[in-house]
Amino acid sequence: MKDTTTSNTPQALSKRRRMKAMAWSFLFIVLSAMILPTASYLVSGEQAHAQVTNDQNQRANFWRAVREGAPGYSAVSGPEAGVFINNGGQNWRQLRNGMIANYGGWAIIIGLGVIALFFLVRGRIKIDEEASGMSVPRWKTWERVMHWYTAILFVLLTISGLSMLFGRAVLIPLLGAKGFSAWANLSINVHNYVGPFFAIGVFAMLLFWVKNNIPTGTDMAWFAKGGGLFSKAHPSAGKLNGGEKVWFWIVIFVGLVAVCGSGLVLIGWMAQLGFVDSTRGTMQLAHQVHAIASIVWVVVFFGHAYIGTLGTEGALEGMTTGRVSVEWAKQHHDLWYEEVKDQAGIAEDTTSAPAPSTAAS
Amino acid sequence: MARMKFLCDAERCIECNGCVTACKNEHEVPWGVNRRRVITLGDGESGEKSISVACMHCTDAPCAAVCPVDCFYTTDDGVVLHDKDLCIGCGYCFYACPFGAPQYPQEEAFGVRGKMDKCTFCAGGPADDNSPAEKEKYGRNRLAEGKLPLCAEMCSTKALIAGDGDMVADIYRERILKRGGRPQTWGWETAYGS
Ligand code: HEM
Ligand code: SF4
Ligand code: SF4
């Protein structure tokens, strides 16, 4: 019997060589398959490390961008849907609930207090001369319509606006949550719908009354004498005195520009016209300007309303009937009286009747 | 009592918007309002990252602080809810909210917006639990049924986690331990002060 494994025939030798080659090749393939993929680590360790740090950088950059409020993409559409964090919100909250609500509230209380104190100390400023029954025309019908239109809307806006700002603290305890909610809902609707019509009134005042309100040297002298508010002196004045002109320009800059301008941003009209965007940042700023300027305006308005009614005898008639007594005109607006005295006439019943036909010649 | 929180793991979120869809469907949210949204930074570039954002139910909630009618309240579970019967649609909560959560169903010519709507943590509102009135105004009240928010439940990669803050933090910490890297509890500092 021959053992083929040990035979040395040529066929047996070649077969053994093939088997060996196959085994080595197999081992080589298996080892390569295991080692080659890891070769990248051995060969380019540097590069691989760089890739890891790059990955970390990317992550850090991402979180930094997010913190800084960088916008991203969102499939959801909506106002500023791509913004991660609205960073201005807390500042706005703190300013509105803190400074504006606190100082604003005090400004209104102190403003009213100062007026009450002034009334107690100085009393009503009376007309010195005996009434003669003679009067001069002061405000035309269209001027009075413009004034009262604007004034009534101003009061509506003040009540509704202040209700929104102070109602939570002042009115909820009085009306309860449901009652105040109903009031606030009425307020916001009145406020937002009346606002633009009010702005038209203020703008008309600018157009038609600016000519009365150009400051002159007379006004400086008037201020130097304190406007006669604290003394018995009657400093000279034209149709409008220095104080009234200051009120006019406060109405224009604080009122028309700051309050009405920001109000029109808040109801979205300025954005519609393309002047501003309607992001929360813009709205926060507009709201702050609006609230601060409107409180300034309201406080100064208290002064205006006091002087025009309780504070000065004979002033209100000018804006209600259109005529003022000759004595009032001489006392408060002497230079203007000189200009219009030839129009003076007897106005028995001070309705807005036209000035009596060509007066005393 | 639990203190409910959301956490979105940006390493896992794949911007599928499943959470957005789940929420809209579950609560039948009005047209144009999305209580949750996914934001992607570097969209389409390598290394893009996404986060799912909704009301975070803040500890010292800015929305509640500025609301003129004081209609917000925080539940025992730390969920910030509001009363639509009181809301006047002024928009102040939207100005104050860090996360852009409050939304409005309408945008009218004079800046009147309708009742504010936002994520309720699937906890409804002041109306009776799961009454038709609650469902219509605020959506389903899953918390009352012992369930957690649907957005997180539906999340395919479990990037969005909702539940008691301590448990949420534990789950996230475990992930960080396994995969390495720094923890990024997005929005937590802003919402919860930590
Ligand atoms: C053009 C005129 C005005 C417009 C368009 C306007 C508009 C607005 C708007 C849109 C708001 C935000 C709240 C809301 O949506 O109602 C607001 C708030 C307010 N407005 Fe006006 N407004 C105007 C004039 C006034 C005037 C004349 C006053 C008072 C002098 C005033 C006082 C206020 C106050 C106090 C707030 C509340 C602020 C707060 O709650 O924090 N506004 N206004
Ligand atoms: S995320 Fe916005 S809406 Fe939600 S509790 Fe915080 S401030 Fe309020
Ligand atoms: S929109 Fe509604 S919930 Fe938001 S602050 Fe205004 S009244 Fe409050």
Side-chain angles (χ1 to χ4, degrees), chain A residues 92 96 100 153-154 157-166 187-189 191-192 194-200 255 259-268 287 290-291 293-295 297-298, chain B residues 68 89-92 95 110-111 113:
Chain A
W92 177 73
R96 174 185 181 265
I100 294 176
L153 299 195
F154 181 94
L157 286 163
T158 302
I159 293 171
S160 55
L162 294 182
S163 295
M164 305 243 325
L165 184 53
F166 297 113
S187 292
I188 190 171
N189 279 289
H191 201 87
N192 291 16
V194 162
F197 293 98
F198 170 74
I200 294 170
V259 176
C260 297
S262 60
L264 295 174
V265 173
L266 286 170
I267 60 169
H287 183 278
H290 192 78
S294 59
I295 287 171
W297 199 9
V298 166
Chain B
C90 67
Y92 290 2
Y95 303 161
F110 284 83
R113 303 151 193 263

